[in-house]
Amino acid sequence: MPEVLQPDHHDHREPIDLLLIDGTVVTMDATYRVLPAGAVAVHQGVIVAIGERDELLARYIATEVLDCSGCAVLPGLINGHAHVPMSLLRGMVADYQQLDVWLLGYMFPVESQFVTPEFSHVGALLSCAEMLRGGTTTFVDMYYFEEEVARAADIAGMRAICGQTVLRMPTPDALSYDDGLERARAFIEAWLGHPRITPTIAPHAPYTCTDQIYIEAAALCAHFNVPLITHLSETAREVQESRNLNAATPIGYAHRVGAFDVPCIAAHCVHATEDDLLLMRAHGVGVVPCPSSNLKLASGIAPYQRLLDVGVRTGLGTDGPASNDDQDMFTEIHLAAMLPKGLTGDPTVMPARDALSLATNRGAEAIHMAHQIGSLEVGKRADVIVVRLDTLHGAPRYTYSPETIYSQLVYSTRSADVRDVFVDGVGLLRNHELLTLDVPEIMQRAQQIADQINIFLAGREENLLDKILAIGGVRQAEIFEIQVKAQISEADIARIEAGLHAPDISITKASERMQYDTYFLFHKRERGRIRIREDRRLDPGARLDSKYTITLMEDGSLGDYPFALLLSRARYTAPAEHSTRFYREYFHPDQEIEIEKYRRRWRILYQNKDFAVNIDRLVGHPQPGPFLEIKSRAWGRRDADERAALIGEMLQRWGVDTDNLVKQEYIELER
Amino acid sequence: MPEVLQPDHHDHREPIDLLLIDGTVVTMDATYRVLPAGAVAVHQGVIVAIGERDELLARYIATEVLDCSGCAVLPGLINGHAHVPMSLLRGMVADYQQLDVWLLGYMFPVESQFVTPEFSHVGALLSCAEMLRGGTTTFVDMYYFEEEVARAADIAGMRAICGQTVLRMPTPDALSYDDGLERARAFIEAWLGHPRITPTIAPHAPYTCTDQIYIEAAALCAHFNVPLITHLSETAREVQESRNLNAATPIGYAHRVGAFDVPCIAAHCVHATEDDLLLMRAHGVGVVPCPSSNLKLASGIAPYQRLLDVGVRTGLGTDGPASNDDQDMFTEIHLAAMLPKGLTGDPTVMPARDALSLATNRGAEAIHMAHQIGSLEVGKRADVIVVRLDTLHGAPRYTYSPETIYSQLVYSTRSADVRDVFVDGVGLLRNHELLTLDVPEIMQRAQQIADQINIFLAGREENLLDKILAIGGVRQAEIFEIQVKAQISEADIARIEAGLHAPDISITKASERMQYDTYFLFHKRERGRIRIREDRRLDPGARLDSKYTITLMEDGSLGDYPFALLLSRARYTAPAEHSTRFYREYFHPDQEIEIEKYRRRWRILYQNKDFAVNIDRLVGHPQPGPFLEIKSRAWGRRDADERAALIGEMLQRWGVDTDNLVKQEYIELER
């Protein structure tokens, strides 16, 4: 129990708020001083002394004396890059999707639908609770409705740099980037001067912003003296595309548009080149790689040891919980220590102490707050954590060398070992209990939001229409169609072609094409079927590029004429902007069938009604045809009857044997 | 609280020991069936049913009904490769050492000095406690005094395959490998037939064993029908040296010596080639990579996705706690999911479910126990764990797709979330409390052993003699020496050479050499100094190879003759088998000085006493000389006086100016 001492009027000791004694004090100061049984004195939010326990007990009388025996006393950990409201999306998506499916198919649709001020606030509270439990005292955020994140961090008592995200596209909180910039300005003006929360602006990344956004953001940062937060060089593809587009790496581009003229916090930099590193060192840019996220999203492994060797300000971050999935700085520190060793083949790189520095003293430099936090030094803010060392998984302990404490903290210590957390000298976690946040209430609110998203996603998994609508660009059409298909002979073809040129038939269009179709079929037929078509015109003078479409064909009701099929179904078609692989991952078909055909098509008018006549040969199919198809869209039942009769006349004229009509679709033909 | 139901004589339900209800049952069976609110029935150590909770509640009456709501019910995790007693060495060494310094400078000396039956037993108990807390129910071990590990696992109630290590070198428990093989045989005979513990033999690795050891080990395994455990292809250097030595990769070599003729568990295989993978698949070899250890020791990253694609039996292990530093299978599963993504640049590889499989169903196949464990299936042993999902760091939860459970287990779940652990249906951890192990007692015994090692290491850090003795091969010598040094001129050299050929001086040896010396100096002079010398003979007919020695020269007492130094000091010399880099990391000098000299040396007899005469030129030194040195070792003070007088005569004869003698050693000369 904390001792509470009453001041004694004859006592010449200086009164202070808090004295932490008997812990292994790991200062992370410039000389990396470690006091095996030291003491830290805190008063009015500031560290006033560090020294041997007896010395400080003699000098100070503290309102609370906290026994830290069996524990380490460290600077609070700094999470240099996060998207804290995204804890609400933790575990939402199976991990095995490509980034584009993940972003476009799940993240963006969910965010555009569900991110509200409440979402940002509740997610931020959840993350603050998790981070405090794990010893994080400062975080750097980038999200939407950022005033709600700031409000949550303030309630929690944490320290934070809150970046209002700006993109050139519409976002959940801004219809245009002008709105976004205005929103950021208002946010900064409202929160500037807060003792623990720094408001700022965060241009998302070069590939989602414009030169102008960066220029205006940098101007805002210069005016208000706040740091600019952005993502740079996270993936190899991003770097390649930037070289193509901007004739520069993303980091080179950011420099060009003024991002480095102000204090800058650059997340990731996984694919920074040697020149990028030198540029960032020259401009004092803080780099924040995110080991877990960079692995999970397959971006790669940042050049940790090179960053340190070159002398770039380097921190560490968790990124958003949807790509981690938690916000545990001990995990990130552990990875930062291990990954460079495995990658370089040199076990002497990134010693434990250096890994820990990325989340403490170096981390503070990376976020431009080293004057205030990051180490236990007299005059710095009292952001202090007490971490248990006398654990089962940390036993036994070795002390013959001062270096062993770093080894234990990095390789054996877990976030659950954090016992107490102080920010600005105020206790936020005491004896593993959170004081400022109601965890059950936060979890309940979080689950309520997740349940809504869960319903949305569950419905969408079933409903292919919603899925195809979610990815955009869809045109809807109801089809009421007569269709005849017949297997024909080469001799038939000559007669049909001749018949098409009869005087009472006018040909309005004629074309030759190859059609490559991939059908996605589902066990539940009522869900419909999806066809991805590449349509390539072969006739001279036609457009050379293939046309790609994706169509959802709902299972239709069928009627029957003696020789034709009556189909009634809805059809939704969109330009296919993604690869078949993307659609496969997105729609999860139960079965796939490919049909390749050579099609000669004529659009004709006969008796003032329009028909499509196709002569198809299937490629690589056991029943290659050729096939004759005559199709006609009707606007009603009576119109359908009339068209059916006309189709009958054409078949008779052209000598097509109506006893051998094919009543199946091509994909239903036996292979 | 667990319900205890009394059997009702009219009750037609089948009586069983334990029914786990309302958890998300993750079977990891062949179809990866997941029951969102399922039940598992256990009786007499075996799983007797899995199904919907109401169905099983209707069918069975259980002595205990365990409420698993808000939890996942999983197969117990399988740690496929460990050295469990090494938990006692956890955190002992700073992580930034090369493997050779780590092994030769710390691990081997400590192990040879401290590994006893007590060490193996206490370390194993500590590890069992840690593993059970984290949901591990089965482990595969390789260490010394393995019967003590088996005994500890038995006390803990765990399942284990215990491998008695055999090497060709002397080990803590065997003076020779014949003893080692005999020890292993006796161990197997003693423990064969135990329901949970499988005794076996573990040839350490190809580079520490011989063909014969593998042949005999395989014969032993065949005879007793137990699996052979060994390390293969852990590092790139190992593979290269194996190719040079054996004309085969380590895996190819292992096959050649019969290791694959019996069920084999091969740890690491980080540098397995494609052919190695095919070979191991063909022979049903179980491969157990250890993600953390492979990174920490800079071995690399195993080809996880290739292993699965090729169809090799693949598990997962923690390796020894000195290279991890804990034994947390959730960490290893998390890394196994993330590393392949980061390495290949493809986020679709190693989905969460596959990562989990390495520690469950696939892990069981890798250790040849899939008939008994690894999945929740009727008929398998009841090794079951209950893991909390309703945690802060796992919130909120998504259930729209069955895949999300794998994501939560792999990316958000931590070992501390494990609530209950059953092995063979017996509860070993209940509501986070260990039932079979006294943790405070074990930690105290562990710390006692560590304290002894701590003293040994602390003393050795100070005592260079102990450090040089620890690396072996040292010859000790007491030196009582007269030494004269004078700066001379080119003209002096001619006179000295002529003087050496005087009739009353016999030259017994003459040589020319280059000497490249690196001196390690320490602030505390009384610790002595270390010299690493490369000595290269230049005279024709001499041995061409350089000779390398490392010498500890203790600071000696100095006396003075009018023109000579009297040195008395101990000198310890060993052949220098390692690089200067190795020695630098091992001894941590405070200062290094290099001296390069060209030396012409004569050994002479004068007046029946032996002297060494050197004419030295220092290369690249501001005071290059030349210098004359005359040295003579004396066996006592009177002898020293006589030799000093004779040296004086020689100096006078050769016209060396005795007013300008140099009373410093070369390294003390100003640069």
Side-chain angles (χ1 to χ4, degrees):
Chain A
M1 297 291 294
E3 296 180 34
V4 181
L5 299 173
Q6 301 305 323
D8 166 0
H9 293 283
H10 299 288
D11 199 314
H12 296 290
R13 291 183 288 174
E14 196 179 320
I16 57 169
D17 296 328
L18 172 67
L19 187 65
L20 300 104
I21 62 169
D22 289 337
T24 303
V25 179
V26 182
T27 63
M28 302 305 282
D29 69 14
T31 64
Y32 288 101
R33 186 166 62 135
V34 173
L35 291 85
V40 179
V42 173
H43 191 56
Q44 296 188 331
V46 176
I47 296 170
V48 296
I50 299 171
E52 297 302 327
R53 58 107 73 196
D54 290 340
E55 176 202 332
L56 264 60
L57 277 168
R59 203 195 314 170
Y60 297 103
I61 178 161
T63 310
E64 178 183 356
V65 176
L66 180 56
D67 182 356
C68 300
S69 42
C71 299
V73 180
L74 268 73
L77 303 181
I78 297 165
N79 183 350
H81 179 64
H83 305 287
V84 301
M86 292 181 83
S87 53
L88 293 179
L89 306 179
R90 187 189 344 253
M92 180 182 84
V93 184
D95 64 312
Y96 51 84
Q97 292 168 336
Q98 288 275 13
L99 191 62
D100 52 359
V101 178
W102 185 74
L103 272 178
L104 298 176
Y106 289 86
M107 285 296 142
F108 286 172
V110 166
E111 283 187 325
S112 68
Q113 190 116 348
F114 288 95
V115 171
T116 60
E118 166 84 350
F119 182 102
S120 283
H121 190 66
V122 172
L125 286 173
L126 184 64
S127 291
C128 286
E130 187 195 346
M131 284 191 285
L132 281 173
R133 278 245 185 106
T136 297
T137 50
T138 300
F139 66 91
V140 177
D141 189 63
M142 180 202 286
Y143 209 62
Y144 309 107
F145 297 111
E146 197 64 14
E147 65 282 2
E148 294 298 330
V149 176
R151 203 162 62 82
D154 195 18
I155 289 168
M158 292 183 76
R159 195 177 306 278
I161 300 176
C162 293
Q164 168 63 49
T165 311
V166 181
L167 292 87
R168 67 172 185 262
M169 296 82 100
T171 66
D173 61 4
L175 289 171
S176 72
Y177 75 77
D178 282 318
D179 288 345
L181 287 162
E182 199 34 56
R183 181 171 230 297
R185 168 184 285 278
F187 168 58
I188 295 172
E189 283 174 340
W191 281 81
L192 203 59
H194 189 287
R196 285 177 288 103
I197 313 290
T198 303
T200 188
I201 183 170
H204 179 266
Y207 60 91
T208 51
C209 290
T210 62
D211 295 14
Q212 195 57 27
I213 290 174
Y214 272 102
I215 290 165
E216 294 200 35
L220 216 59
C221 290
H223 179 76
F224 289 110
N225 193 24
V226 291
L228 185 147
I229 306 169
T230 192
H231 296 106
L232 294 177
S233 300
E234 182 173 1
T235 68
R237 170 192 264 188
E238 177 197 337
V239 174
Q240 192 49 49
E241 288 176 358
S242 177
R243 285 192 165 116
N244 294 343
L245 200 68
N246 304 317
T249 62
I251 288 162
Y253 167 84
H255 174 234
R256 182 196 304 163
V257 294
F260 297 171
D261 297 340
V262 292
C264 180
I265 302 170
H268 302 307
C269 301
V270 175
H271 295 274
T273 65
E274 191 69 15
D275 286 342
D276 286 339
L277 297 184
L278 294 169
L279 185 65
M280 291 190 292
R281 181 185 70 186
H283 290 271
V285 175
V287 171
V288 185
C290 304
S292 296
S293 173
N294 296 154
L295 282 177
K296 193 184 182 200
L297 295 178
S299 308
I301 297 171
Y304 296 92
Q305 193 60 44
R306 272 318 280 155
L307 283 160
L308 296 194
D309 289 344
V310 169
V312 178
R313 297 167 173 248
T314 311
L316 209 57
T318 58
D319 206 5
S323 57
N324 194 310
D325 277 4
D326 55 21
Q327 292 167 118
D328 184 341
M329 285 303 291
F330 279 98
T331 298
E332 303 307 323
I333 292 166
H334 188 206
L335 282 172
M338 292 202 303
L339 289 170
K341 292 172 171 62
L343 210 66
T344 62
D346 180 354
T348 68
V349 302
M350 197 57 78
R353 190 181 79 186
D354 282 351
L356 184 60
S357 78
L358 302 180
T360 52
N361 51 319
R362 282 195 170 99
E365 286 168 12
I367 68 169
H368 311 282
M369 293 191 70
H371 53 293
Q372 286 202 314
I373 54 171
S375 55
L376 300 180
E377 297 188 63
V378 171
K380 288 202 176 179
R381 308 304 304 174
D383 290 4
V384 187
I385 62 174
V386 181
V387 184
R388 290 187 55 213
L389 298 171
D390 55 350
T391 56
L392 173 63
H393 50 268
R397 296 189 53 200
Y398 282 89
T399 50
Y400 70 96
S401 159
E403 299 299 302
T404 57
I405 185 64
Y406 298 109
S407 201
Q408 177 161 6
L409 287 170
V410 170
Y411 292 107
S412 302
T413 301
R414 301 171 185 167
S415 54
D417 299 339
V418 175
R419 193 187 75 181
D420 311 294
V421 174
F422 299 87
V423 173
D424 253 13
V426 175
L428 305 180
L429 183 84
R430 295 305 306 270
N431 213 19
H432 303 283
E433 292 301 314
L434 285 166
L435 301 188
T436 52
L437 297 169
D438 183 341
V439 170
E441 195 236 349
I442 292 168
M443 284 177 67
Q444 189 179 44
R445 288 168 78 184
Q447 193 60 52
Q448 279 167 354
I449 294 171
D451 288 343
Q452 294 171 41
I453 300 173
N454 206 43
I455 291 168
F456 168 75
L457 290 173
R460 209 186 62 166
E461 288 304 300
E462 267 304 295
N463 192 321
L464 292 177
L465 174 56
D466 284 343
K467 284 194 94 160
I468 202 171
L469 286 174
I471 52 180
V474 168
R475 299 181 323 274
Q476 187 170 336
E478 280 289 326
I479 310 284
F480 194 61
E481 187 175 66
I482 308 283
Q483 195 186 111
V484 174
K485 197 194 250 77
Q487 184 141 1
I488 58 178
S489 69
E490 300 297 326
D492 289 330
I493 291 176
R495 260 198 325 277
I496 293 164
E497 270 197 272
L500 285 167
H501 287 89
D504 60 344
I505 290 178
S506 27
I507 297 173
T508 54
K509 271 191 194 166
S511 61
E512 290 171 68
R513 49 191 72 226
M514 290 302 296
Q515 291 184 331
Y516 307 87
D517 292 338
T518 303
Y519 286 85
F520 286 170
L521 306 177
F522 300 88
H523 289 150
K524 288 192 195 167
R525 296 197 48 143
E526 58 272 23
R527 296 180 72 193
R529 96 174 44 126
I530 287 171
R531 180 192 73 200
I532 302 159
R533 167 168 286 180
E534 178 188 349
D535 193 304
R536 186 153 59 86
R537 290 280 293 269
L538 298 172
D539 36 310
R543 175 178 31 81
L544 282 174
D545 297 344
S546 295
K547 187 176 161 204
Y548 296 88
T549 51
I550 179 166
T551 304
L552 169 63
M553 289 170 286
E554 293 197 327
D555 203 44
S557 60
L558 308 175
D560 234 352
Y561 288 98
F563 48 78
L565 295 170
L566 175 63
L567 302 170
S568 166
R569 59 186 173 198
R571 183 198 294 254
Y572 307 87
T573 303
E577 289 174 340
H578 305 287
S579 65
T580 304
R581 185 271 312 155
F582 173 95
Y583 293 121
R584 181 179 300 121
E585 282 181 34
Y586 185 55
F587 289 106
H588 301 300
D590 296 312
Q591 187 189 4
E592 275 184 51
I593 298 179
E594 286 177 24
I595 298 280
E596 184 183 336
K597 66 166 104 65
Y598 166 67
R599 167 168 285 186
R600 293 171 70 201
R601 163 183 287 175
W602 294 263
R603 289 204 182 280
I604 63 172
L605 280 176
Y606 176 55
Q607 304 287 335
N608 272 327
K609 292 202 190 287
D610 59 310
F611 299 85
V613 179
N614 297 325
I615 293 180
D616 295 332
R617 295 176 193 275
L618 303 188
V619 178
H621 196 286
Q623 297 186 61
F627 295 93
L628 167 70
E629 265 195 345
I630 306 175
K631 301 188 194 184
S632 191
R633 286 189 196 176
W635 44 260
R637 192 65 202 238
R638 210 178 73 169
D639 183 44
D641 293 346
E642 292 172 16
R643 292 172 189 266
L646 290 172
I647 288 175
E649 288 178 24
M650 283 187 270
L651 292 173
Q652 196 170 26
R653 276 198 193 191
W654 304 336
V656 176
D657 182 359
T658 57
D659 289 329
N660 271 333
L661 294 177
V662 175
K663 289 205 175 170
Q664 289 166 308
E665 311 216 40
Y666 292 131
I667 57 169
E668 291 163 349
L669 294 177
E670 260 189 60
R671 302 190 90 121
Chain B
M1 297 295 293
E3 295 180 36
V4 180
L5 300 172
Q6 301 306 322
D8 166 359
H9 294 281
H10 299 287
D11 199 314
H12 296 288
R13 291 183 291 174
E14 196 178 320
I16 58 169
D17 296 327
L18 172 66
L19 188 65
L20 301 102
I21 61 169
D22 291 337
T24 303
V25 179
V26 182
T27 63
M28 303 305 283
D29 69 16
T31 63
Y32 289 101
R33 186 166 61 137
V34 173
L35 291 85
V40 179
V42 172
H43 191 57
Q44 297 187 333
V46 176
I47 296 171
V48 296
I50 299 170
E52 296 302 326
R53 57 108 72 198
D54 290 339
E55 177 202 332
L56 265 59
L57 277 168
R59 203 194 317 171
Y60 298 103
I61 177 161
T63 310
E64 177 183 355
V65 177
L66 181 56
D67 182 357
C68 301
S69 43
C71 298
V73 180
L74 270 71
L77 303 180
I78 297 164
N79 183 351
H81 179 65
H83 306 286
V84 300
M86 293 182 83
S87 54
L88 294 179
L89 306 180
R90 183 187 348 251
M92 180 181 85
V93 184
D95 64 312
Y96 51 85
Q97 292 169 337
Q98 288 274 13
L99 191 62
D100 52 359
V101 178
W102 185 74
L103 272 179
L104 298 176
Y106 289 86
M107 285 296 142
F108 286 172
V110 166
E111 283 186 326
S112 68
Q113 190 116 348
F114 288 96
V115 171
T116 60
E118 166 85 350
F119 182 103
S120 283
H121 190 66
V122 172
L125 286 173
L126 184 64
S127 293
C128 287
E130 186 196 344
M131 284 192 283
L132 281 172
R133 278 245 186 105
T136 298
T137 49
T138 300
F139 66 91
V140 177
D141 190 63
M142 181 203 284
Y143 208 62
Y144 309 107
F145 297 112
E146 197 65 13
E147 65 283 1
E148 293 299 330
V149 176
R151 203 162 63 82
D154 195 18
I155 289 168
M158 293 184 74
R159 196 176 307 277
I161 300 176
C162 293
Q164 169 62 50
T165 311
V166 181
L167 293 87
R168 65 171 186 264
M169 294 83 98
T171 65
D173 61 5
L175 289 170
S176 72
Y177 75 76
D178 282 318
D179 288 344
L181 286 163
E182 198 35 56
R183 180 171 231 297
R185 169 184 285 276
F187 168 58
I188 295 171
E189 283 173 341
W191 282 81
L192 204 59
H194 189 287
R196 286 174 291 102
I197 313 290
T198 303
T200 188
I201 182 169
H204 179 265
Y207 59 90
T208 51
C209 290
T210 62
D211 294 15
Q212 194 58 26
I213 290 175
Y214 272 101
I215 290 166
E216 294 200 33
L220 215 60
C221 290
H223 179 75
F224 289 108
N225 193 24
V226 291
L228 184 147
I229 306 168
T230 191
H231 296 106
L232 294 176
S233 299
E234 182 172 2
T235 68
R237 170 193 264 187
E238 179 197 334
V239 174
Q240 192 47 51
E241 287 175 356
S242 177
R243 284 192 165 118
N244 295 341
L245 199 69
N246 304 317
T249 62
I251 288 161
Y253 167 85
H255 173 234
R256 182 196 304 165
V257 294
F260 297 171
D261 297 340
V262 292
C264 179
I265 302 170
H268 302 307
C269 300
V270 175
H271 295 274
T273 64
E274 191 69 13
D275 286 342
D276 286 339
L277 298 184
L278 294 169
L279 185 64
M280 292 191 291
R281 182 185 69 184
H283 291 270
V285 174
V287 170
V288 185
C290 304
S292 296
S293 173
N294 297 153
L295 283 178
K296 193 184 182 200
L297 295 179
S299 308
I301 298 171
Y304 296 92
Q305 194 59 44
R306 271 318 279 154
L307 283 160
L308 296 194
D309 289 345
V310 169
V312 177
R313 297 166 173 249
T314 310
L316 210 57
T318 58
D319 207 4
S323 58
N324 194 312
D325 278 4
D326 56 21
Q327 291 166 120
D328 185 342
M329 285 303 290
F330 279 97
T331 297
E332 304 305 324
I333 292 166
H334 188 206
L335 282 172
M338 292 201 305
L339 289 170
K341 292 172 170 63
L343 211 66
T344 61
D346 181 355
T348 67
V349 303
M350 197 56 78
R353 190 181 78 186
D354 282 352
L356 183 60
S357 78
L358 302 180
T360 51
N361 50 320
R362 281 195 171 97
E365 286 168 12
I367 68 169
H368 312 283
M369 293 189 71
H371 53 294
Q372 286 201 317
I373 55 172
S375 55
L376 301 180
E377 297 189 62
V378 171
K380 288 203 175 177
R381 307 306 303 175
D383 291 4
V384 188
I385 63 174
V386 181
V387 184
R388 289 187 54 213
L389 299 171
D390 55 350
T391 57
L392 174 63
H393 50 269
R397 295 189 55 201
Y398 282 90
T399 49
Y400 71 96
S401 160
E403 300 298 303
T404 57
I405 185 63
Y406 298 109
S407 201
Q408 178 162 6
L409 287 170
V410 170
Y411 292 106
S412 301
T413 302
R414 302 170 184 169
S415 55
D417 300 339
V418 175
R419 194 188 75 181
D420 311 293
V421 175
F422 299 87
V423 173
D424 253 12
V426 175
L428 304 180
L429 183 85
R430 295 305 306 268
N431 212 19
H432 303 282
E433 292 301 316
L434 285 166
L435 301 188
T436 51
L437 297 169
D438 181 341
V439 170
E441 196 236 349
I442 293 167
M443 284 178 67
Q444 188 181 46
R445 288 168 78 182
Q447 193 61 50
Q448 279 169 355
I449 294 171
D451 288 343
Q452 295 172 42
I453 300 172
N454 206 44
I455 291 169
F456 168 76
L457 290 173
R460 210 186 62 166
E461 288 304 298
E462 268 303 296
N463 193 322
L464 291 178
L465 173 57
D466 284 344
K467 285 194 94 162
I468 202 171
L469 285 175
I471 52 180
V474 169
R475 298 181 324 274
Q476 188 169 337
E478 279 289 327
I479 311 283
F480 194 60
E481 188 175 63
I482 308 284
Q483 195 186 110
V484 173
K485 197 193 251 75
Q487 185 141 359
I488 57 178
S489 68
E490 301 297 328
D492 290 331
I493 290 176
R495 262 199 323 278
I496 293 163
E497 269 197 274
L500 285 166
H501 288 87
D504 58 346
I505 289 177
S506 22
I507 297 173
T508 56
K509 271 190 193 168
S511 63
E512 287 172 68
R513 47 190 73 225
M514 289 303 296
Q515 290 183 333
Y516 307 87
D517 292 337
T518 304
Y519 286 86
F520 287 170
L521 306 177
F522 300 87
H523 288 151
K524 288 194 197 168
R525 296 198 48 144
E526 57 272 24
R527 296 181 73 194
R529 100 176 38 130
I530 286 171
R531 180 192 72 200
I532 301 158
R533 166 168 286 179
E534 178 188 353
D535 193 306
R536 187 154 58 87
R537 289 281 293 271
L538 296 174
D539 36 309
R543 176 177 30 85
L544 281 173
D545 296 343
S546 293
K547 186 175 161 206
Y548 296 87
T549 50
I550 179 167
T551 303
L552 169 63
M553 289 169 287
E554 293 197 327
D555 203 42
S557 60
L558 309 176
D560 236 347
Y561 288 97
F563 48 77
L565 295 171
L566 174 64
L567 301 169
S568 166
R569 59 187 174 194
R571 184 198 295 253
Y572 306 87
T573 304
E577 289 174 340
H578 305 285
S579 64
T580 303
R581 185 271 312 154
F582 172 97
Y583 293 120
R584 180 179 302 120
E585 282 180 34
Y586 185 56
F587 289 106
H588 301 302
D590 296 312
Q591 188 189 5
E592 277 184 50
I593 298 180
E594 287 179 21
I595 299 280
E596 184 182 338
K597 65 167 106 63
Y598 168 67
R599 166 168 284 185
R600 294 171 68 200
R601 160 182 289 176
W602 295 264
R603 289 202 183 281
I604 63 173
L605 280 174
Y606 176 54
Q607 304 286 335
N608 272 329
K609 294 206 190 283
D610 57 313
F611 298 87
V613 177
N614 297 327
I615 293 182
D616 294 334
R617 296 177 193 274
L618 302 188
V619 178
H621 195 289
Q623 297 187 60
F627 296 94
L628 167 71
E629 261 193 351
I630 307 175
K631 301 188 191 182
S632 190
R633 287 190 195 172
W635 44 260
R637 194 64 201 240
R638 209 179 72 171
D639 183 44
D641 292 344
E642 290 173 15
R643 292 174 188 264
L646 289 173
I647 288 175
E649 286 177 28
M650 281 186 268
L651 292 172
Q652 198 171 26
R653 275 197 193 190
W654 303 335
V656 176
D657 182 358
T658 57
D659 289 328
N660 270 334
L661 295 178
V662 175
K663 290 204 171 167
Q664 288 166 310
E665 311 216 43
Y666 290 130
I667 56 168
E668 291 162 351
L669 294 176
E670 261 188 61
R671 301 191 92 120

